[in-house]
């Protein structure tokens, strides 16, 4: 996928590295027992540690460490058995201690990676530089009083994971794909809710441009962008701006910028000269963090199956490549899909032995256990029932992203399946019906009645269509009878076309074979 940007002087390559702040799912803060609920009354979740009362000491919350290590393992990263908490010193009203406790030179998680699933079906690996734990600051409220600023310390001390990427991203689309994949991994792991709107996932974008293959250019950092769409817009704008500066004979100045989502532009906030010197040093109130290797291994074994592994498994049971990505993005959707498959498999009248291995296959991350005959049983699970699944998958994958989870919860698949099992509708009608269900919130039976979608199971009508086609296609019929059995699919297609997709495919197959055998 070429993502070069055209300027007056030729093509430019955009280079992006992202720093993501992900709020750890934890009932208590990183160094105090105060609660972390979203939307609480201001200053109701503040301990004396968070408010930095004199003489108060931080006590590390082990659960937050566990969440960070889990996340590191989910990012396929090195876990550092020794890490250090540092003080990052600066003065601000919402930071009562005058410093934030963070990790600087020795973070808890080192190098890892994220695999991007790009829309053109290719995959690309993006390096993770590090993940470290740190405290969030409080919030200054500037809009509550005409001449005063209020401070809410509820957020002060909440645990954040800062996840830093290598400058490996090459376009706004890739940055979007990176954030979606990261969000999906965090949610599968249950370590961060990852809602950018609620502010529990925030992103700083580092952007530079260069001639393809040249040395890295000077970067600008766009702070605190709060939606994936804005991240992509900010990057597009910033890359164009830098190209223009350079092509006019100027130079990009390293600086921190802000994205104005109303105007769609980035604006300078402070230059490098004005940037803070945080004077990091190890926090003398905290010992270095030492992890037990066996404990880390235990956590590794307890991880849920992650999107990449799920994707491989879904591909193996015959879900096609272009829809698998939207299916795995949310665990809830993936699970609903999988439950449906399991249900279908067990209804299909496989032998108990086959059912058992089929369910094991669907559950097991190890596809090598799969026998070829079972694979055939699962993928070609005959006729109607498997197409319900496939069509369901299509409809879910094609629904607007924000509707997907609701769709899965609301759709009564068993109702749909019943209609199909009773041969009222054909597999190919399912998709249309599901989409209609999503739009109108009506149930399947109502839609079928309203749209006149009943399939033709009247043998006479189908036979008439078949006769007409076989008479028209006598040359192909002869080829078929001479042994070219692949032509059956062609005939089935013609009959379905002639009946506007309303014929029952199983019946069409059966009748065609009979007549062709002739
Ligand atoms: P800082 O701590 O000052 O923000 P880092 O060196 O830790 O600086 O880099 C922060 C982010 O900037 C990382 O995500 C990194 O990939 C990215 N980055 C570094 N150099 C460049 C560059 N030339 N262009 C784009 N991104 C860059
Ligand atoms: Mg930075």
């Amino acid at each position: 996928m070429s993502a070069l940007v055209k300027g007056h002087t030729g093509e430019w390559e955009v280079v992006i590295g992202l720093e993501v702040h992900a709020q750890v799912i934890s009932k208590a803060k990183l160094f105090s027992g105060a609660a972390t609920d979203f939307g609480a009354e201001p200053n109701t979740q503040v301990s004396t540690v968070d408010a930095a009362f004199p003489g108060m000491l931080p006590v590390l919350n082990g659960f937050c460490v566990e969440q960070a290590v889990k996340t590191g393992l989910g990012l396929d990263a090195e876990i550092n058995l020794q890490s250090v908490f540092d003080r990052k010193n600066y003065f601000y009203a919402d930071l009562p201690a005058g410093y934030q406790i963070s990790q600087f030179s020795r973070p808890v998680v080192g190098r890892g990676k994220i695999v991007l699933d790009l829309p053109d079906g290719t995959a690309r690996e993006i390096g993770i530089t590090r993940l470290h734990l740190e405290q969030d600051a409080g919030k200054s409220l500037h809009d509550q009083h005409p001449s005063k600023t209020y401070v809410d310390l509820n957020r002060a001390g909440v645990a954040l994971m800062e996840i830093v990427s290598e400058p490996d991203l090459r376009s706004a689309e890739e940055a979007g794909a990176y954030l979606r994949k990261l969000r999906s991994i965090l949610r599968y792991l249950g370590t961060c809710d990852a809602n950018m709107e609620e502010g529990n996932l925030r992103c700083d974008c580092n952007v530079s441009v260069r001639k393809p293959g040249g040395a890295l250019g000077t970067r600008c950092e766009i702070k605190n962008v709060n939606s994936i769409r804005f991240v992509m817009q900010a990057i597009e704008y910033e890359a164009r701006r830098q190209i223009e500066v350079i092509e006019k004979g100027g130079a990009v100045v390293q600086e921190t910028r802000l994205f104005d989502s109303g105007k769609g532009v980035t604006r300078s906030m402070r230059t490098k000269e004005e940037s803070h010197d945080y004077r990091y040093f190890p926090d003398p109130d905290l010992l270095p963090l030492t992890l037990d290797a066996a404990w880390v291994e235990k956590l590794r074994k307890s991880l849920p199956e992650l999107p990449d592994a799920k994707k491989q498994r879904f591909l193996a049971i015959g879900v096609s490549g272009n829809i698998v990505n939207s299916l795995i993005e949310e665990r809830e959707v993936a699970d609903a899909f999988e439950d449906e498959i399991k249900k279908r498999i067990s209804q299909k009248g496989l032998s108990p032995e086959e059912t058992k291995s089929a369910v094991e296959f669907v559950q097991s991350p190890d596809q090598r256990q799969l026998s070829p005959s079972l694979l055939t049983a699962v993928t070609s699970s005959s006729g109607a029932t498997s197409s319900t699944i496939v069509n369901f998958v299509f409809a879910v994958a094609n629904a607007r992203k924000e509707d997907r989870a609701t769709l899965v919860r609301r759709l009564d698949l068993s109702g749909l399946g019943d209609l199909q099992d009773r041969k009222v509708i054909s597999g190919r009608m399912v998709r249309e019906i599901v989409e209609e269900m999503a739009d109108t919130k009506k149930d399947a039976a109502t839609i079928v009645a309203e749209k006149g979608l009943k399939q033709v199971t009247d043998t006479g009508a189908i036979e008439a269509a078949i006769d007409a086609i076989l008479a028209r296609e006598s040359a192909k019929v002869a080829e078929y009878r001479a042994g070219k059995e692949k032509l059956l699919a062609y005939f089935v297609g013609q009959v379905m076309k002639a009946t506007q997709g309303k014929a029952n495919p199983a019946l069409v197959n059966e009748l065609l074979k009979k007549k062709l055998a002739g």
Side-chain angles (χ1 to χ4, degrees):
M1 193 166 73
S2 165
L4 298 179
V5 180
K6 258 200 164 42
H8 302 304
T9 61
E11 298 197 304
W12 295 84
E13 187 176 30
V14 184
V15 175
I16 306 147
L18 299 181
E19 293 166 274
V20 170
H21 287 93
Q23 182 179 327
V24 175
I25 293 179
S26 161
K27 290 207 167 80
K29 295 183 179 180
L30 184 54
F31 296 109
S32 84
T36 60
D37 301 330
F38 180 74
E41 278 290 295
N43 296 312
T44 54
Q45 301 180 345
V46 188
S47 78
T48 47
V49 176
D50 310 320
F53 278 30
M56 293 301 108
L57 290 173
V59 177
L60 180 58
N61 179 343
F63 182 70
C64 294
V65 175
E66 183 176 320
Q67 292 284 63
V69 172
K70 265 192 181 170
T71 307
L73 293 169
L75 298 172
D76 209 3
E78 289 163 34
I79 306 301
N80 294 325
L81 296 181
Q82 283 272 346
S83 65
V84 172
F85 286 101
D86 298 285
R87 288 187 182 178
K88 178 177 180 177
N89 301 283
Y90 66 98
F91 176 81
Y92 203 75
D94 59 23
L95 188 79
Y99 59 84
Q100 174 192 26
I101 306 178
S102 180
Q103 297 192 298
F104 187 53
S105 52
R106 298 176 70 185
V108 63
V109 175
R111 285 187 175 277
K113 62 171 193 283
I114 285 187
V115 178
L116 302 191
D117 309 295
L118 298 171
D120 65 357
T122 57
R124 220 162 86 62
E125 210 172 283
I126 303 300
I128 300 289
T129 316
R130 57 188 278 155
L131 175 157
H132 67 253
L133 273 167
E134 63 183 29
Q135 300 173 297
D136 205 346
K139 201 158 127 194
S140 296
L141 308 170
H142 302 292
D143 54 3
Q144 308 281 309
H145 190 278
S147 59
K148 290 185 171 128
T149 289
Y150 293 148
V151 174
D152 175 10
L153 291 181
N154 280 354
R155 232 172 53 184
V158 165
L160 302 177
M161 300 179 279
E162 178 166 341
I163 303 166
V164 182
S165 88
E166 290 290 291
D168 287 348
L169 298 158
R170 289 295 174 270
S171 66
E173 285 69 37
E174 285 192 0
Y178 173 89
L179 288 171
R180 283 197 304 275
K181 189 61 176 280
L182 177 61
R183 180 174 66 186
S184 161
I185 293 172
L186 292 168
R187 288 181 178 167
Y188 269 64
L189 289 167
T191 56
C192 170
D193 288 326
N195 286 320
M196 291 186 89
E197 306 71 36
E198 284 185 11
N200 50 42
L201 195 77
R202 288 172 259 160
C203 181
D204 301 342
C205 314
N206 295 270
V207 181
S208 66
V209 297
R210 66 178 177 188
K211 289 286 175 177
L216 280 183
T218 303
R219 73 185 150 110
C220 290
E221 179 174 6
I222 312 159
K223 277 274 178 212
N224 250 324
V225 192
N226 61 8
S227 87
I228 294 183
R229 194 160 57 88
F230 291 160
V231 164
M232 293 171 66
Q233 285 175 7
I235 291 170
E236 295 271 0
Y237 176 88
E238 181 58 19
R240 289 246 156 248
R241 184 190 71 83
Q242 293 182 12
I243 291 169
E244 206 166 292
V245 167
I246 301 171
E247 290 191 331
K248 279 188 178 147
V252 174
V253 185
Q254 184 171 344
E255 62 183 355
T256 305
R257 299 176 71 85
L258 285 180
F259 180 62
D260 177 337
S261 58
K263 298 207 170 69
V265 303
T266 64
R267 221 176 274 127
S268 180
M269 184 175 133
R270 57 170 184 260
T271 59
K272 197 183 178 189
E273 288 76 56
E274 304 159 71
S275 81
H276 305 289
D277 177 354
Y278 293 115
R279 297 177 189 262
Y280 283 96
F281 64 87
D283 191 316
D285 290 340
L286 290 158
L287 288 168
L289 174 60
T290 305
L291 305 178
D292 175 26
W295 176 79
V296 173
E297 284 320 301
K298 217 171 94 193
L299 275 186
R300 192 194 299 278
K301 293 211 177 73
S302 77
L303 291 189
E305 182 184 32
L306 292 173
D308 289 335
K310 224 181 248 307
K311 178 173 177 176
Q312 291 315 314
R313 220 152 42 74
F314 283 7
L315 288 172
I317 56 172
V319 178
S320 67
N322 52 348
I323 57 172
V324 74
N325 289 343
S326 23
L327 202 56
I328 57 160
E329 188 164 324
E330 288 159 74
R331 189 174 173 177
E332 199 179 6
V333 172
D335 287 349
F337 165 65
E338 203 150 358
D339 287 348
E340 190 58 26
I341 289 189
K342 280 181 213 161
K343 213 158 64 198
R344 293 283 152 185
I345 289 173
S346 56
Q347 281 171 5
K348 226 176 46 79
L350 298 176
S351 70
E353 206 39 48
E354 280 176 319
T355 306
K356 187 165 158 276
S357 6
V359 172
E360 270 168 16
F361 165 68
V362 175
Q363 288 168 336
S364 149
D366 186 3
Q367 296 151 38
R368 279 164 305 185
Q369 293 172 356
L370 184 68
S371 71
S373 65
L374 181 60
L375 184 62
T376 324
V378 177
T379 51
S380 68
S381 43
S382 63
T385 40
S386 91
S387 63
T388 308
I389 298 170
V390 172
N391 282 291
F392 165 64
V393 171
F394 260 110
V396 171
N398 288 335
R400 282 187 314 164
K401 204 161 44 233
E402 54 271 35
D403 293 341
R404 253 180 236 146
T406 341
L407 193 57
V408 168
R409 270 195 303 270
R410 200 179 53 226
L411 284 185
D412 176 14
L413 287 175
S414 60
L416 261 180
D418 281 351
L419 286 171
Q420 211 181 336
D421 291 343
R422 288 190 284 119
K423 304 209 187 318
V424 176
I425 55 170
S426 70
R428 43 191 293 163
M429 293 174 188
V430 171
R431 180 166 171 191
E432 190 182 338
I433 297 170
V434 169
E435 276 161 9
E436 192 75 14
M437 285 168 84
D439 285 348
T440 62
K441 303 182 173 51
K442 291 177 182 160
D443 66 33
T446 311
I447 292 165
V448 169
E450 280 178 8
K451 299 193 97 182
L453 276 172
K454 279 192 180 24
Q455 73 174 336
V456 180
T457 49
D458 168 6
T459 322
I462 297 175
E463 271 183 306
I466 293 178
D467 289 341
I469 283 154
L470 297 191
R472 195 180 71 205
E473 305 273 7
S474 55
K476 288 213 163 66
V477 172
E479 282 180 59
Y480 176 89
R481 289 185 176 147
K484 200 166 169 193
E485 290 187 356
K486 270 197 255 165
L487 280 172
L488 182 66
Y490 170 79
F491 291 125
V492 172
Q494 293 299 306
V495 177
M496 294 309 288
K497 205 166 134 194
T499 57
Q500 281 134 17
K502 289 184 180 172
N504 174 301
L507 212 50
V508 171
N509 260 287
E510 190 189 311
L511 292 171
L512 257 174
K513 274 192 198 151
K514 216 184 288 170
K515 289 196 180 266
L516 281 165

